[in-house]
Amino acid sequence: MPSLFITGYGIEQATLKTDDLVQRLTECAHDSLDDKPREVKLSAAIAPHIAREDRAMLTSQTICCLNVGFSAMNMAEKIVGFTPAEKEAMCVYTTYETVRDFHEVVWQFKTSSEQYAEKALLLRSLGKIANTVHPLRLFRKLPTNGLYHLSKLFGLRGGGYPLRKMSLGGMSLLEEAFYNLPCSDASGALICAYGDMLKADNAQVFRKMGLIEPLDAHRSSVQGAEGAVSLVVETAERVSRQKTRPLAQVLLAFSRFSTSMFATTQDWIEAYAQLAPWVRESNPVVVLYDNGAPGIGDAEERALKGSLTAFEIRRYKPWSKYAVATSGLVDLVCALADPSIQPGRVVIIHGEGAGMGLGLIVLRKLGMASVQSERAPS
């Protein structure tokens, strides 16, 4: 059975950031109930290394991905840095959100009566439309935008994998790396997931489902956010050879496809039946997917009671909120930083995607991260 080791992470979602993640997780969850979008800024340590011609292609999601990828690589290279040859073989796995700025401008124009009130307002709206379809801006809409910038900044040339799988997106990246890396020439990979529940199309879908209330976040079942999360994973061979200090060992990562909108209790029971008996008997810490939608968390808890004899539950979305594709990996990173989960414990991360199915990540926590000051990429 293959295994991977996590040696670094980065996170920027809601009020959670890499540098003060442990502190945030010990504070009251309701302190993070703020639905106002935040201005995304590129880390000062990265900015000088972005070529002038590339800056015009940066989007908010690319900037978020660069920031968290930078944090993850810094953490992973604290003890032993990657050699140029190792970076040449390292892969990059990313999720992405479709950039629909043209559609958003048209939607605002269509739904706002103000746009028809004065000629000046009409012309201003037409100017926004012209700007969104400018040929140079089309590069910003490519699904490989973030992957391109991550690969170029860190010099990772082993292969790029832009994947999408709804809320399972981030977990699917780790699943792909889990099975692919041990069979390749690469000794490591950079994984980066991004999601945005605040963008117009995602918010509109969840509003129609009755899960969010744009005018009053306190009345929403699902608390939306924009964010990104990143992991650096390494093979067992490199960890052993370089004597690195991994944060966790990934023991299993798998998903089960389903066209159902939400996973049922039976779906989770069948997924747990695939785990080795020692995992089920290890009194694991289980991190629920529970994103706030009615019934989802209840189905997970019922399945646990029918599948495990002893377990502990954690929920991190009161702190991280929900940003679709980042979901599972954000929960994983929070578990790594959570001081209430001791090294040596088995941790199971739940993931779920509408019309995609569910997933499980089983890992053993090995240590706590030591966040260091930012340094320029080598």
Side-chain angles (χ1 to χ4, degrees):
M1 176 64 71
S3 69
L4 282 184
F5 290 85
I6 299 171
T7 55
Y9 65 73
I11 183 173
E12 279 190 12
Q13 184 163 308
T15 61
L16 302 183
K17 294 185 181 297
T18 309
D19 293 344
D20 60 357
L21 181 57
V22 175
Q23 176 186 342
R24 287 293 185 183
L25 291 176
T26 60
E27 295 175 349
C28 177
H30 297 290
D31 290 346
S32 66
L33 190 58
D34 180 7
D35 61 344
K36 296 180 180 178
R38 306 178 191 281
E39 183 181 359
V40 177
K41 295 182 178 180
L42 190 65
S43 168
I46 303 175
H49 300 275
I50 305 296
R52 182 178 180 181
E53 64 271 18
D54 289 333
R55 292 176 188 173
M57 294 192 293
L58 291 176
T59 64
S60 61
Q61 67 175 292
T62 303
I63 292 172
C64 282
C65 290
L66 288 172
N67 288 343
V68 298
F70 180 68
S71 296
M73 288 292 287
N74 259 0
M75 192 180 295
E77 294 189 286
K78 182 178 181 181
I79 304 298
V80 180
F82 293 104
T83 66
E86 287 175 327
K87 286 188 174 184
E88 190 70 23
M90 284 182 70
C91 305
V92 182
Y93 294 82
T94 62
T95 66
Y96 62 94
E97 285 278 1
T98 303
V99 178
R100 294 191 174 95
D101 49 2
F102 172 75
H103 303 81
E104 290 180 14
V105 171
V106 173
W107 178 259
Q108 291 172 4
F109 177 78
K110 178 180 180 296
T111 57
S112 175
S113 59
E114 278 190 350
Q115 303 290 353
Y116 301 95
E118 298 181 13
K119 183 178 180 180
L121 290 173
L122 174 61
L123 293 176
R124 194 178 306 137
S125 295
L126 293 177
K128 289 181 182 178
I129 293 174
N131 187 45
T132 60
V133 296
H134 190 283
L136 291 179
R137 286 183 61 89
L138 296 180
F139 288 104
R140 296 160 56 93
K141 303 177 190 293
L142 294 176
T144 53
N145 188 313
L147 192 152
Y148 163 81
H149 285 283
L150 288 167
S151 173
K152 187 171 183 178
L153 178 65
F154 300 111
L156 312 181
R157 314 293 186 195
Y161 303 89
L163 304 173
R164 295 189 72 177
K165 211 172 181 181
M166 306 298 286
S167 300
L168 272 178
M171 290 184 68
S172 70
L173 302 181
L174 184 54
E175 181 182 10
E176 290 290 325
F178 180 76
Y179 292 104
N180 289 341
L181 279 187
C183 303
S184 71
D185 295 331
S187 58
L190 176 64
I191 294 171
C192 191
Y194 171 86
D196 186 4
M197 265 296 296
L198 303 180
K199 65 197 294 277
D201 51 349
N202 286 339
Q204 186 72 0
V205 169
F206 275 72
R207 187 187 70 79
K208 289 287 188 181
M209 295 169 66
L211 298 177
I212 67 171
E213 175 51 62
L215 300 180
D216 185 359
H218 292 80
R219 295 175 56 192
S220 299
S221 300
V222 177
Q223 299 296 329
E226 175 191 14
V229 60
S230 185
L231 296 176
V232 173
V233 294
E234 301 180 31
T235 61
E237 185 276 332
R238 185 180 193 275
V239 167
S240 175
R241 172 168 46 86
Q242 298 289 8
K243 300 295 189 291
T244 60
R245 298 177 185 173
L247 305 173
Q249 180 183 9
V250 182
L251 303 171
L252 183 63
F254 75 93
S255 58
R256 291 166 52 88
F257 177 75
S258 172
T259 56
S260 300
M261 200 65 177
F262 303 113
T264 65
T265 298
Q266 185 60 33
D267 290 332
W268 288 110
I269 290 175
E270 292 173 2
Y272 268 87
Q274 297 189 29
L275 301 184
W278 76 265
V279 174
R280 297 197 297 269
E281 296 166 4
S282 64
N283 186 26
V285 176
V286 182
V287 183
L288 300 187
Y289 165 76
D290 189 4
N291 69 348
I296 285 184
D298 294 337
E300 293 178 86
E301 290 195 55
R302 285 194 298 268
L304 290 176
K305 292 174 182 177
S307 304
L308 306 177
T309 55
F311 57 90
E312 295 179 24
I313 285 177
R314 298 291 190 279
R315 287 179 171 88
Y316 294 117
K317 288 183 178 64
W319 288 268
S320 70
K321 302 205 278 190
Y322 176 68
V324 194
T326 64
S327 180
L329 292 190
V330 164
D331 287 338
L332 189 158
V333 166
C334 288
L336 295 181
D338 189 343
S340 73
I341 303 177
Q342 296 299 314
R345 294 293 302 274
V346 172
V347 181
I348 302 176
I349 311 293
H350 283 194
E352 188 174 331
M356 298 303 300
L358 58 81
L360 293 177
I361 294 173
V362 181
L363 59 89
R364 186 183 298 279
K365 186 171 179 178
L366 300 178
M368 299 291 290
S370 175
V371 179
Q372 63 177 356
S373 58
E374 295 184 341
R375 62 179 178 83
S378 56

